[in-house]
Amino acid sequence: MTQTRLEHTNITVSDPARTAAWLAEVFGWQIRWQGEAINGGFTIHIGADDHYLAIYNPNVPLVPGNSSYTMRGGLNHVGIVVDDLDAVEARVKAAGFTPGKHADYEPGRRFYFRDHDNIEFEIVAYD
């Protein structure tokens, strides 16, 4: 069987530069590409050599969404694996976000937080 992996996810944000700045600060990611995108929008690809988040803004007013957990096709959260959960949690707090929903169950420890755009992130470390 051919090996598969997730390369990227594209999400809409209010300010790609602002989102890229905190992603770089918290996770140490680098901007891989940025430029014009579909419908006159702007996108920044930020991550590592083999995976990234594409953070997009369509250059039109955005409308707040309902709970993604009850919306067909909703993005419920973005899961990110880290080596040092405590260090990343400290950087999340320093970036101005509030960690919550801490859990410690097989196969690892985790916490969640929401960013400026109310996007939920799950941060997990496998022991």
Side-chain angles (χ1 to χ4, degrees), residues 76-96:
N76 296 323
H77 61 257
V78 176
I80 300 173
V81 177
V82 299
D83 291 332
D84 187 338
L85 192 69
D86 297 327
V88 171
E89 184 170 3
R91 291 194 300 269
V92 165
K93 289 177 183 176

Side-chain angles (χ1 to χ4, degrees), residues 8-105:
H8 77 274
T9 298
N10 187 319
I11 56 178
T12 299
V13 300
S14 59
D15 183 341
R18 179 182 187 190
T19 299
W22 79 254
L23 287 168
E25 178 183 330
V26 170
F27 301 116
W29 289 348
Q30 302 296 317
I31 293 176
R32 298 169 33 130
W33 176 84
Q34 60 184 316
E36 293 181 13
I38 190 170
N39 298 327
F42 185 79
T43 296
I44 297 176
H45 293 180
I46 184 165
D49 290 340
D50 62 348
H51 61 273
Y52 63 95
L53 285 179
I55 46 181
Y56 167 75
N57 181 277
N59 198 29
V60 297
L62 299 177
V63 296
N66 296 325
S67 170
S68 60
Y69 285 92
T70 59
M71 182 177 64
R72 183 180 301 163
L75 173 71
N76 296 323
H77 61 257
V78 176
I80 300 173
V81 177
V82 299
D83 291 332
D84 187 338
L85 192 69
D86 297 327
V88 171
E89 184 170 3
R91 291 194 300 269
V92 165
K93 289 177 183 176
F97 304 119
T98 305
K101 295 194 288 185
H102 291 79
D104 186 357
Y105 55 85

